[in-house]
């Protein structure tokens, strides 16, 4: 495992640069890349593995969303209030209510945008009610797998001419004194390092399920739990955030 760090940007050269740099090329990273490209930005995604897959490929590939036309077509009565209530009930109100509402409000439009603009084949899953949800709101590709979802997103990114650098493990964020990120340092499988500059950095590198220390710190009840997720989920974004003074 390679340690992650935040280092001063002063004096660091960036032979290559882009407007928006995204760390992580799973479903989250691809969604961010497609949205930024739609807005006219130059985007590069960085993926630590040889092929983008990660937690998305290991998942069921189902995306919850409310107020979609696919729900309406099947007579499903759902809205932001109902979706937010389900989320807050499931996590015992241990999260930011405002953020929950924003995610719920944007969920339906995001699903329809992925379908209408980028050709992702999503439809409402009506064969079972997903645990914790009070109505049908899971949307998935025909094969009902995360591998199919990431495969379709890869195709959409290729159509949009989005560049993805694989075998590029981001280890260092280079920041100004005020915390503004100027670029990142990556490590290749052979140990070679490269620096890439950016105007904006998006961290889409998932959670910390694979980091036993962070699990013990943040979810002590699960410190002994077996982990079946992607090995790359080491909490890099959390560690970088803490180093930058984030709450």
């Amino acid at each position: 495992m390679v340690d992650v760090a935040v280092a001063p940007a002063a004096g660091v050269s960036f032979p290559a640069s882009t407007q928006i740099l995204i760390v992580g090329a799973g479903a989250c990273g691809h969604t961010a890349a497609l949205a930024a490209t739609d807005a006219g930005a130059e985007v590069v995604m960085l993926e630590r593995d040889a092929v983008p897959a990660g937690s998305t490929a290991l998942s069921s590939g189902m995306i919850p969303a409310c107020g979609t036309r696919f729900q309406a077509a099947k007579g499903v009565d759902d809205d932001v209030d109902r979706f937010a209530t389900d989320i807050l009930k499931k996590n015992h109100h241990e999260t930011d209510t405002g953020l929950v509402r924003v995610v719920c409000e944007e969920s339906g439009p995001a699903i329809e945008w992925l379908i209408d603009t980028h050709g992702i084949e999503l439809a409402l899953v009506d064969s079972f009610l997903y645990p914790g949800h009070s109505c049908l709101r899971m949307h998935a590709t025909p094969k009902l797998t995360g591998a199919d979802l990431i495969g379709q997103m890869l195709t959409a990114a290729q159509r949009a001419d989005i560049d993805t650098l694989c075998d590029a493990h981001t280890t260092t964020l280079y920041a100004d004194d005020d915390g503004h990120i100027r670029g990142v340092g990556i490590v290749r499988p052979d140990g070679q390092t490269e620096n890439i500059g950016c105007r904006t950095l998006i961290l889409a590198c998932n959670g910390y399920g694979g980091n036993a220390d962070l699990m013990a710190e943040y979810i002590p009840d699960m410190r002994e739990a077996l982990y079946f997720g992607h090995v790359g989920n080491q909490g890099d974004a959390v560690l970088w955030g803490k180093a930058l003074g984030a709450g």
Side-chain angles (χ1 to χ4, degrees):
M1 184 172 64
V2 179
D3 291 334
V4 299
V6 174
V12 178
S13 62
F14 301 101
S17 64
T18 184
Q19 285 182 301
I20 296 180
L21 198 57
I22 300 173
V23 179
C28 179
H30 271 82
T31 301
L34 291 169
T37 301
D38 284 359
E42 177 190 39
V43 181
V44 174
M45 285 191 288
L46 300 176
E47 171 57 45
R48 62 182 289 161
D49 292 340
V51 177
S55 295
T56 301
L58 295 174
S59 75
S60 65
M62 297 185 187
I63 308 171
C66 66
T68 70
R69 64 175 183 263
F70 309 100
Q71 289 177 301
K74 293 183 179 293
V76 176
D77 181 19
D78 194 18
D79 58 23
V80 170
D81 288 338
R82 186 170 183 176
F83 192 4
T85 297
D86 286 350
I87 292 175
L88 293 169
K89 180 181 178 180
K90 193 167 185 176
N91 65 29
H92 308 292
H93 293 262
E94 294 180 354
T95 191
D96 186 293
T97 303
L99 288 178
V100 170
R101 287 199 63 85
V102 169
V103 171
C104 294
E105 289 167 357
E106 297 297 330
S107 63
I111 287 290
E112 297 189 1
W113 162 73
L114 285 171
I115 295 168
D116 297 339
T117 303
H118 293 288
I120 309 298
E121 300 174 61
L122 295 167
L124 184 68
V125 178
D126 59 3
S127 56
F128 73 102
L129 185 63
Y130 201 89
H133 293 272
S134 60
C135 66
L136 297 173
R137 62 168 67 100
M138 286 296 178
H139 298 73
T141 60
K143 294 182 180 179
L144 300 178
T145 67
D148 189 34
L149 175 62
I150 192 63
Q152 292 202 32
M153 288 192 144
L154 284 167
T155 299
Q158 291 168 355
R159 286 196 297 261
D161 292 324
I162 295 172
D163 292 324
T164 303
L165 300 183
C166 294
D167 283 327
H169 185 184
T170 304
T171 59
T172 306
L173 306 189
Y174 293 105
D176 289 336
D177 291 340
D178 63 0
H180 186 86
I181 305 300
R182 295 298 179 185
V184 307
I186 65 172
V187 176
R188 296 295 194 172
D190 62 1
Q192 294 293 313
T193 61
E194 301 173 29
N195 293 335
I196 303 174
C198 62
R199 295 184 187 176
T200 299
L201 179 70
I202 296 174
L203 299 177
C205 40
N206 213 287
Y208 51 85
N211 188 321
D213 291 337
L214 290 183
M215 288 296 292
E217 180 179 356
Y218 293 119
I219 317 180
D221 289 345
M222 294 186 68
R223 71 173 72 215
E224 303 298 332
L226 294 176
Y227 177 61
F228 294 98
H230 189 267
V231 67
N233 292 344
Q234 295 295 321
D236 293 357
V238 174
L239 297 172
W240 280 320
K242 290 176 68 174
L244 288 164

